Amino acid sequence: MKSLFYITLIFVALAASMEAQNNQPRLSRGSERTRQQQQQNNSGEPQLSVRAQIMNEQMTQNTDNARWMRVIYRQIDLMKEKNGPLYYPIQELNGQVNLFTKLFSLVSENKIKVYKYLGDYESFEDDNILTYRDMLEKFNIYFDSIPPGGGRPATYVVNQSDIPSQEVKTYYIKEAWFFDQNNSLYDVKTFAICPIAYIISDMGEQPMPMFWVKYEDIRPYINNILIMTSNINNTRTYTYDDYFRQRMFEGEIIKTENMLNLALMQIHPTPDSLQMAQKQIEQQLISFRDSLWIPEDATTVLSKKEQKKITRSAKTGDGVTTDSKNTVKKEKTTTPKQEKTSPSSSKSVPVRNIRRR
C-alpha cells in the first residue's frame, strides 16, 4: 500500500513539473532578435546591422597616419543648381526626401547625435549634445508632446509640413585634405556638416546655424538613398554618400584651421581680398597635389622623338639617315657645277691658230 502511495506521489510530481515547463515561454531566434531590437529602441542606440557597421568602418577614411593635413570649412549654397540635390524635393515626393528631412527624422528617432553650434569652434563631446526637444524649442518648431508611460520615455511628434526643410538653404561642411605617406594617398575627408536655417525676423531673413553632426554617423543611413543630380539626365544613379565622396557639390571656402582661429572674412575684410584668398587656397591644394608626383621628364620626351627618327630613317634606307642623304645629294649637285665651270676656265687661255699653206 505504501509503495502504491509513493508511486502515485512521484507521478503527480512529474506531471506538475512537465506542466510548468510547458507554461514557460520559449525563445526562438525571431523572438530573441525582436527582444534585442526592443532593447535597442529603449536604449536609443542606432539600429544598424553588423554588416552596415562593418561597411561604415571600411568606408571611413583614416587620417591618423597623415603626414600633411589641412582642415577647411566651406559654405554650400543650395540655391545653386549644382547643389540642388541636397535641397529638392522640399516636401516628400514619391518617397523621396531632401537631406535635412532625413537628418531631422534620424534625430527624432534618436538614431544619431547632434551637437550644439558654438560659433567659432565645434566640440563633439557629450556635454555639447543637443537633444531633440531642445532643438524643437530653440528653432520654434511646432510639436505635440506625448507624456511617458509604461517604461516608455516622452515622445514628440512633428507634422511633415512643420519640418523646416524649406528654410534650410545652406550648409557648413568641415573637411580635411590630407596626405597619407604610408599608403601614398592624397584624399579629402568630410568630417561634419551643419545645416543653416534662414529665419525671418524684424531684421529680415537671418541665417541661424542649427547643429553639427558627424558625417560618419549619418553615412550608414544615406549611402543607399538615390538622388537625381542633373536636370538633363533624370535617372537616380548616385547616392548622398557618392555626392559627398565624389565632391559633386560647389562650396566657397569661409575658413581654414589656423592658430588664431579666425575666419577668412576677419583676415580679409574686403570682397576682392577675400576672393583672392579663396583662389589662393584652392591653388595651394592643387600645387601640393602636383608636387607629390614626379612629372614626365623632358629627357624621356626627347628620347621618344629620337626613337621615332631612328625608326623613320631605318624605313627609308639601309641604315643611312636623312641627314647623311642630304649631304650626299649636296655633293652630287655641287660636282657637276664644278665640271661645268672647267670649260669656261679653258676659254680664257689663248689658242694658237694654224693656217694651211
Side-chain angles (χ1 to χ4, degrees):
M1 192 66 182
K2 289 183 179 180
S3 61
L4 182 62
F5 174 75
Y6 287 130
I7 292 172
T8 306
L9 185 62
I10 293 172
F11 180 76
V12 171
L14 290 175
S17 63
M18 289 177 65
E19 186 178 359
Q21 288 180 0
N22 291 331
N23 291 333
Q24 265 187 349
R26 295 182 179 179
L27 293 178
S28 61
R29 284 189 174 181
S31 60
E32 180 68 19
R33 189 180 297 110
T34 304
R35 184 179 63 82
Q36 291 178 359
Q37 290 179 357
Q38 290 177 355
Q39 290 179 356
Q40 287 181 353
N41 292 336
N42 296 331
S43 62
E45 296 179 356
Q47 300 177 13
L48 286 178
S49 62
V50 177
R51 180 181 179 183
Q53 294 177 3
I54 294 175
M55 184 179 297
N56 189 32
E57 292 177 359
Q58 292 176 352
M59 297 178 67
T60 301
Q61 297 155 297
N62 188 12
T63 58
D64 295 338
N65 297 325
R67 301 297 299 271
W68 182 91
M69 183 171 64
R70 190 165 191 183
V71 179
I72 292 178
Y73 296 81
R74 295 182 184 270
Q75 181 174 351
I76 298 179
D77 186 5
L78 302 187
M79 297 297 101
K80 294 182 179 181
E81 182 179 358
K82 200 170 183 180
N83 303 327
L86 301 179
Y87 187 69
Y88 298 102
I90 300 174
Q91 298 294 332
E92 184 177 355
L93 179 64
N94 298 327
Q96 296 289 327
V97 295
N98 62 5
L99 180 61
F100 180 77
T101 304
K102 184 62 178 178
L103 295 178
F104 191 88
S105 64
L106 292 175
V107 176
S108 64
E109 296 170 4
N110 201 17
K111 291 183 178 179
I112 60 173
K113 297 178 182 179
V114 295
Y115 302 86
K116 299 176 184 178
Y117 180 81
L118 303 176
D120 296 337
Y121 68 98
E122 63 282 344
S123 176
F124 299 103
E125 302 293 334
D126 292 340
D127 297 336
N128 297 315
I129 292 178
L130 181 66
T131 62
Y132 182 51
R133 183 187 176 94
D134 293 341
M135 182 185 68
L136 297 177
E137 293 178 347
K138 182 178 181 180
F139 297 99
N140 299 322
I141 302 173
Y142 297 104
F143 64 93
D144 295 329
S145 178
I146 301 177
R152 174 183 50 81
T155 56
Y156 310 99
V157 181
V158 179
N159 294 328
Q160 189 74 20
S161 58
D162 294 329
I163 299 176
S165 59
Q166 187 174 0
E167 286 75 16
V168 176
K169 299 180 180 179
T170 55
Y171 280 94
Y172 287 152
I173 289 187
K174 180 182 179 181
E175 60 185 15
W177 295 77
F178 67 96
F179 173 64
D180 186 359
Q181 187 176 3
N182 295 340
N183 299 318
S184 298
L185 177 66
Y186 180 70
D187 203 356
V188 56
K189 176 181 180 179
T190 303
F191 275 128
I193 62 175
C194 172
I196 304 172
Y198 284 77
I199 308 299
I200 298 176
S201 61
D202 297 336
M203 302 296 293
E205 197 175 43
Q206 299 294 326
M208 292 185 63
M210 300 184 68
F211 52 80
W212 282 102
V213 57
K214 294 180 181 179
Y215 184 75
E216 295 176 0
D217 293 344
I218 66 174
R219 183 195 289 123
Y221 303 100
I222 64 174
N223 64 353
N224 56 356
I225 300 178
L226 296 176
I227 59 176
M228 184 172 62
T229 58
S230 174
N231 290 327
I232 300 175
N233 184 8
N234 301 141
T235 57
R236 292 176 171 84
T237 55
Y238 296 96
T239 64
Y240 277 122
D241 186 48
D242 297 332
Y243 187 81
F244 283 104
R245 290 178 66 88
Q246 299 183 20
R247 302 190 53 77
M248 302 172 68
F249 58 86
E250 179 182 351
E252 295 181 353
I253 299 176
I254 59 174
K255 182 182 177 181
T256 59
E257 197 169 83
N258 54 81
M259 291 180 288
L260 298 177
N261 195 26
L262 296 177
L264 284 182
M265 190 174 293
Q266 296 175 304
I267 303 174
H268 308 278
T270 62
D272 294 337
S273 61
L274 178 62
Q275 188 176 5
M276 290 181 61
Q278 291 172 345
K279 292 182 178 179
Q280 184 179 6
I281 295 171
E282 296 283 4
Q283 186 61 39
Q284 288 174 355
L285 296 175
I286 297 174
S287 300
F288 181 80
R289 180 198 62 189
D290 296 340
S291 64
L292 295 174
W293 322 117
I294 301 175
E296 191 174 8
D297 196 2
T299 56
T300 308
V301 178
L302 291 176
S303 63
K304 290 181 179 179
K305 291 182 178 179
E306 293 289 339
Q307 188 67 27
K308 288 182 180 180
K309 285 184 178 181
I310 294 172
T311 54
R312 192 183 301 114
S313 62
K315 290 180 181 179
T316 54
D318 298 331
V320 183
T321 60
T322 54
D323 296 335
S324 61
K325 285 190 174 184
N326 292 333
T327 54
V328 173
K329 288 182 179 179
K330 288 182 180 179
E331 290 177 356
K332 288 182 179 180
T333 54
T334 53
T335 50
K337 289 183 180 179
Q338 291 177 358
E339 291 176 357
K340 289 181 181 179
T341 54
S342 59
S344 60
S345 62
S346 61
K347 287 182 181 179
S348 60
V349 180
V351 181
R352 184 177 180 183
N353 292 331
I354 302 175
R355 292 182 181 180
R356 291 182 181 179
R357 294 180 180 178

